[in-house]
Structures are given as C-alpha cells and as structure tokens.
C-alpha cells in the first residue's frame, strides 16, 4: 500500500501508512540513470556473438574456446545476477530511508503549516526539512492568503525548482485518489528515479490534504551509483580472471586429452611405415585408454597377419627357387641330349628317322622353352627376394641396342633411330634383357617393321619400341606387365613363358626407371622405357642401406 497524506486535526498532516517500510508508488522512469544502462554485460554479449561466428580447425583452439565460452557465460550470468540483486538492494535501501525521512518531515513540518502559508513560512519549513539526516533538497508549493502560488525551497543542488520535477510526477501528486475502507488518504506519496547530467537522482512528492502544501524532494544517488560502479568493475575483473583461469584449465585439459591422441597419430604413422611392432603405453581406464588398447590389439593382429603372409610368400619363393635349381641339373643333361638331336636334324645324311623327326623337333623346341622358363623363374625369385643387384658400366646406347638386335638376328625386322655417342652408366646385361623382351614382344605380337628410337629428356633416357600391328586391346593394357597374364582365355598356351614383360619391368625398376605401354594414334603398340642416364646413385644407396627383412619397432 502506498503511503498517503491524510489530514488529522487542524493544521496537522498525518501519514497513516501502517507499514512505513512497505512499497512506495513508483512512476515509470523518465530518462534512465547511468546505473540502469547495459554497460559491461552488453559489451560481453556483443563480443560473444562475434566470436560465435568464428570457426577454428584446431582441436586445441576449439577446446579452449568452448571452455572459455562456458566460463564466460557462467561468470557473466553470476556477475549479472549478483549485480542486479546488489543494485536493487542498495537502491531500495537508500530510497526507502530517504522516502521514510521525507514522509516524516512532511508530517512534522509541512503538516504544521497553516492551510495558506506565506512564502517565508514555506521557506523556513523547507529549510528545516532539508536539515534532516538524509540531507535532501526540498521544494514546497502552496497558496498564500491572497490566493497566489508561492514557493519555498531549501536552496540546495543549485536551487531545486519545480521544473526539475518530472511532469508525470507532478500530475500524479496532484491527482486526487478515491478513498477506500483501508485507504482513506486521497493523496499518495510518489517517487521516480531520474538522471541529470549523468548523475542519478531520486525525486519524490506528496501533498497535504485540505489545501495544505505540496512537497517535493530531490536526493542525489551518486554515492550509491559509485558503489554500484565499483561493484560492476569488481565483477568485471572477477569475470576476466575467471575467463583467464578457464583458458588455462582448458589448455591443461586439452593437453591431457590431445597428448594421447598425438601419440596415437605418431603410432599410426609408424604402423603405416611398416613398423608393425609399434605399441602404445596404456594407462588408466577411460575412453582414450580403451582406444589405445584397441589400437594395440589391431596392430598385433596386423603384425601376425603380415608375418603369416610373409612366411607363406617366403615359402613360395623358396619353393620356386629350389624347384628351379633342382630342375637345372636334369635340364642340363636334357639340353645336352637335345643339342645332339638338333645336330642330327641338321645333318644332311638324314640321321633321324623321318617318322620320328616331328617328335624330335617338338622335344628340342620344348626343351628350349623349358630352359627359358627355368631361367626366368630364377630371375623372378631374385627380384622377389631383393637380391638382384646392378653391375654398372658405361654403355653406348646405339651400340648396345645394335648388339641386342644382331645377337637375335633381328636386323632385317627392326629399324633403329639412335645417334651414336649417347653414353649412360647402366647395367648392360639387364638393359639387354629389357630390350630383348620389348623388341621380341613387338615382333611376336605386333607387326614389322619394329622401330626403336632413343632420345634424351633432361637427366633421363627415353627408349620407345613401336610396332605396326593391331595394337593392344584397351582391357588388356592394364595387365600387360602381369606375370603369366593371357590376353585370350581360349589360348592358354603360348610360345613364351608369360614372364618376359614382367622381368623387363623389374629390371627397369631396379635402375630407378619405368616402362609404360600404350597404343599409337597411327596404329600399333608403343612401349616406352624411361631410365636415368646415371644409375650410380642407386648402387651407393644400396651400399649405405642394404635391404633387409623387417625393421626395428617402437613403443610410443
């Protein structure tokens, strides 16, 4: 219930509010005071919205940002609530004390004035009222015996006048209220907080009934505003410290979380490099520890699987190598016999019965084919075992290619486009194997003439072998270097071993080179051999880091 001014006896005003500490009637504020504006919380909210639009790719930055935003939200919320509660408590306590004192002074001083006081009486009463414990400024308005409006002010605050009172407050004070059984006072006490030149004020007013004086009061709330500003700064500093602390905690938490993740990444890279005995140290029982255990189990299973596959592969290579070596002994004897039979076939005296001559020729050709197959298998096992090595020498490419063609009697079917004087440091035997396989394949499956061209491309040599046949079917091109690959399933048997191009490719790789197969736009297939002009670097690396199975593992 609002405190009211009620008349009780002549020349006396009584304010019969049963609860002097109860709520006062507050009007809507005029200009907001400094203490009521947004301030620090609004600034933090604006910065928070801007930071929310940023995106970071680093997990550590994201963790720090999330921790910071959580701490900032909590700190700002707690600070805002604390500031609001303290602000209301401080302002309510100050204004209640001021309004209670003003109410008492209006009852004692203004209520004692005559119904139509003179200006001197108003001035004297206003001065006495301003001398109360709250030290507020007072303005009294009344009509003198002549009916004129007179004013009496305390003179404080550079002269508190009626223009300093908001019109809405004056209208409320002058408005006569309906009386009820519980409230028989036709006039109430109203108050309003305003701001003048940055300083907050509490302005209140009430009226003595039965033509008595109307009193207005103005009290500066600057001390309270300063206390609230100090509180706001303290809360802001506490919020900043909380934000810094949360960033440090986030950094520590991120380090705790990301360190195992970093170790897992390092272990995964080592595992990808072939160090299959890499394991993670497992500590704790959290999710990261479970992840480390899972990684260790996966690495152990992978190591076992690779070891089993390597053992089977080694067993297969050993079997092929042993079989090839075992075949060479009887094959040598068979080859010697077939050479004798071949001489008999070529003898003009007809040493072989014509009835068995086809069988003898078949045995001779198949024996040669078997011998080539055994030699190719032994060569393949050397590549698979990693024991193949280069024996380098200075080679004139034109002479080397001519020697290869001449040794196999291909001079009439092969055209050579190579300048003399192009020297390279390569393995002559392996280069001869490459050329023999490429040219022989072109003559067998392509069409004459076969053209071999040589050119220099920077530090590399390019040797192109082109035939004039129908070309290679597109579905066959990706498989031409596969071992034992047959282009046609209906012709599973061929004169070759099916290893020639594969061996040629391995010999190119051991030089640090490459062979590619394609079809020429003008028709025919083109095999292009790219080799470094000097392969000495490869032999030096082999001497410094000889190939070996396995490697040292690591525990991360």
């Amino acid at each position: 219930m609002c405190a009211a001014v009620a008349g009780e006896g002549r020349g006396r005003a009584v304010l019969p509010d049963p609860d002097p500490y109860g709520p006062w009637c507050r009007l809507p504020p005029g200009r907001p005071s400094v203490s009521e504006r947004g301030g620090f919380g609004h600034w933090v909210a604006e910065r928070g919205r801007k930071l929310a639009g940023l995106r970071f790719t680093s997990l550590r930055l994201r963790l720090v940002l999330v921790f910071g935003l959580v701490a900032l939200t909590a700190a700002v919320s707690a600070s805002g609530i604390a500031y609001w509660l303290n602000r209301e408590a401080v302002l309510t306590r100050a204004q209640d004390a001021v309004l209670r004192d003003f109410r008492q002074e209006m009852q004692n001083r203004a209520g004692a004035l005559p119904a139509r006081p003179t200006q001197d009486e108003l001035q004297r009463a206003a001065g006495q009222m301003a001398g109360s414990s709250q030290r507020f400024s007072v303005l009294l308005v009344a009509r003198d015996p002549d009916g004129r409006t007179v004013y009496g002010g305390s003179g404080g605050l550079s002269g508190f006048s009626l223009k300093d009172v908001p019109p809405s407050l004056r209208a409320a004070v002058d408005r006569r209220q309906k009386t009820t059984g519980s409230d028989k006072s036709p006039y109430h006490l109203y108050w309003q907080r305003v701001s003048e030149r940055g300083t907050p004020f509490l302005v209140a007013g009430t009226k003595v009934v039965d033509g008595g004086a109307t009193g207005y009061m103005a009290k500066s709330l600057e001390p309270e505003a300063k206390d609230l500003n100090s509180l706001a700064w303290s809360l802001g500093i506490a919020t900043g410290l909380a934000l810094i602390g949360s960033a440090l905690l986030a950094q520590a938490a991120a380090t705790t979380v990301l360190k195992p993740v970093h170790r897992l990444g390092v272990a995964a890279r080592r595992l990808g490099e072939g160090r299959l005995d890499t394991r993670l140290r497992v500590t704790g029982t959290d999710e990261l520890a479970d992840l480390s255990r899972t990684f260790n189990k996966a690495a152990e299973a992978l190591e076992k699987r690779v070891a089993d596959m390597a053992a089977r592969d080694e067993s297969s290579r050993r079997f092929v190598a042993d079989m090839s070596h075992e075949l060479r002994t009887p094959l040598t004897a068979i080859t010697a016999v077939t050479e004798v039979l071949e001489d008999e076939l070529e003898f003009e005296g007809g040493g072989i019965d014509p009835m068995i001559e086809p069988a003898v020729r078949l045995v001779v050709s198949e024996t040669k084919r078997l011998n080539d197959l055994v030699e190719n298998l032994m060569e393949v096992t050397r590549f698979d075992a990693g024991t193949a090595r280069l024996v380098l020498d200075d080679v004139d490419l034109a002479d080397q290619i001519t020697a290869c063609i001449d040794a196999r009697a291909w001079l009439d079917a092969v055209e050579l486009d190579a300048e003399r004087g192009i020297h390279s440091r390569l393995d002559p035997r392996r280069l001869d194997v490459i050329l023999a396989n490429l040219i022989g394949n072109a003559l067998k499956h392509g069409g004459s003439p076969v053209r071999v061209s040589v050119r220099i491309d920077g530090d590399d040599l390019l040797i192109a072998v082109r035939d004039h046949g129908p070309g290679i079917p597109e579905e066959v091109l990706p498989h031409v270097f596969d071992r034992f690959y047959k282009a046609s399933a209906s012709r599973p048997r061929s004169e070759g071993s099916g290893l020639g191009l594969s061996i040629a490719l391995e010999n190119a790789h051991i030089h640090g080179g490459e062979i590619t197969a394609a079809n020429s736009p003008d028709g025919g297939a083109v095999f292009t051999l790219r080799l470094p002009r000097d392969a000495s670097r490869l032999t030096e690396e082999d001497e410094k880091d000889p190939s070996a199975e396995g490697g040292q593992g690591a525990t991360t």
Side-chain angles (χ1 to χ4, degrees), residues 71-329:
L72 185 63
T73 302
V76 170
S77 299
S79 299
I81 294 173
Y83 177 80
W84 178 260
L85 293 177
N86 281 276
R87 175 182 178 277
E88 290 301 315
V90 170
L91 294 179
T92 301
R93 184 170 57 251
Q95 75 184 18
D96 284 353
V98 173
L99 294 177
R100 186 169 55 251
D101 195 54
F102 177 64
R103 173 179 173 276
Q104 188 66 33
E105 291 297 325
M106 284 293 295
Q107 179 178 339
N108 295 337
R109 305 293 183 183
L113 292 174
R116 291 182 176 272
T118 62
Q119 185 171 9
D120 291 339
E121 291 175 333
L122 287 178
Q123 193 72 30
R124 185 165 51 254
Q128 292 173 349
M129 293 174 63
S132 68
S133 60
Q134 295 298 325
R135 299 294 179 181
F136 42 70
S137 298
V138 178
L139 174 65
L140 295 178
V141 182
R143 290 187 179 277
D144 62 4
D146 297 332
R148 295 174 302 177
T149 301
V150 292
Y151 303 91
S154 61
L157 294 175
S158 301
F160 179 48
S161 61
L162 195 61
K163 66 180 181 179
D164 297 322
V165 180
S168 58
L169 180 63
R170 296 200 303 266
V173 169
D174 293 337
R175 187 181 305 115
R176 187 179 182 89
Q177 306 293 333
K178 294 182 179 179
T179 59
T180 61
S182 58
D183 184 9
K184 298 181 179 180
S185 301
Y187 298 105
H188 295 173
L189 174 63
Y190 295 93
W191 62 273
Q192 188 174 351
R193 285 200 294 265
V194 298
S195 179
E196 290 292 339
R197 293 183 293 274
T199 302
F201 289 92
L202 175 66
V203 180
T206 188
K207 188 173 185 178
V208 179
V209 298
D210 298 333
T214 300
Y216 297 100
M217 174 275 299
K219 168 67 176 179
S220 173
L221 298 178
E222 187 174 6
E224 287 77 11
K226 289 182 178 180
D227 293 341
L228 292 175
N229 288 335
S230 299
L231 176 62
W233 275 106
S234 299
L235 293 176
I237 294 173
T239 301
L241 294 177
L243 185 60
I244 295 174
S246 67
L248 296 177
L249 290 176
Q251 176 69 15
T255 301
T256 303
V257 173
L258 295 180
K259 192 173 182 180
V261 176
H262 174 70
R263 289 176 177 174
L264 182 61
V266 172
R269 284 193 294 272
R270 290 178 176 175
L271 197 65
E273 292 169 357
R275 304 173 69 176
L276 301 180
D277 57 349
T278 301
R279 299 292 185 271
L280 289 170
R281 290 193 299 269
V282 180
T283 56
T285 58
D286 56 4
E287 290 79 0
L288 291 174
D290 292 339
L291 180 61
S292 299
R293 293 189 187 93
T294 303
F295 175 85
N296 289 341
K297 291 179 181 178
E300 183 178 356
L302 180 61
E303 183 181 19
K304 185 177 183 302
R305 180 72 62 84
V306 171
D308 293 342
M309 294 176 62
R312 288 195 295 268
D313 188 53
E314 177 64 24
S315 178
S316 299
R317 288 199 303 265
R318 188 179 300 111
F319 171 77
V320 173
D322 293 343
M323 181 188 68
S324 300
H325 281 288
E326 292 298 328
L327 285 175
R328 291 193 70 179
T329 301

Side-chain angles (χ1 to χ4, degrees), residues 368-431:
K368 290 181 178 180
R369 182 172 177 272
L370 180 59
N371 191 58
D372 292 340
L373 178 60
V374 171
E375 292 296 330
N376 287 338
L377 286 174
M378 293 184 67
E379 186 74 8
V380 168
T381 56
R382 293 189 191 98
F383 285 118
D384 291 344
T387 59
R389 293 291 182 269
L390 291 174
V391 180
L392 300 180
D393 195 3
D394 289 328
V395 175
D396 186 302
L397 289 180
D399 292 343
Q400 181 71 25
I401 299 173
T402 301
C404 175
I405 297 172
D406 184 47
R408 293 161 179 84
W410 292 338
L411 288 176
D412 295 336
V414 178
E415 297 177 357
L416 177 61
D417 179 14
E419 296 181 2
R420 294 191 177 276
I422 301 177
H423 291 270
S424 298
R425 188 163 181 78
L426 302 169
D427 188 326
R429 185 185 70 85
R430 296 188 182 279
L431 179 59

Side-chain angles (χ1 to χ4, degrees), residues 397 424 426 431 434-435 438 453-465 481 504-517 526-535 537-538:
L397 289 180
S424 298
L426 302 169
L431 179 59
I434 297 173
L435 294 173
L438 294 181
S453 59
V454 180
R455 63 186 179 89
I456 298 176
D457 183 14
D459 294 332
D460 294 339
L461 295 172
L462 292 181
I463 303 176
V465 178
F481 296 104
L505 182 63
E506 293 290 349
N507 279 295
H509 285 169
I510 200 174
H511 278 91
E514 186 62 61
I515 303 177
T516 58
V526 179
F527 285 82
T528 304
L529 169 65
R530 178 183 289 271
L531 294 176
R533 295 192 64 183
D534 189 354
R537 177 179 56 84
L538 298 175

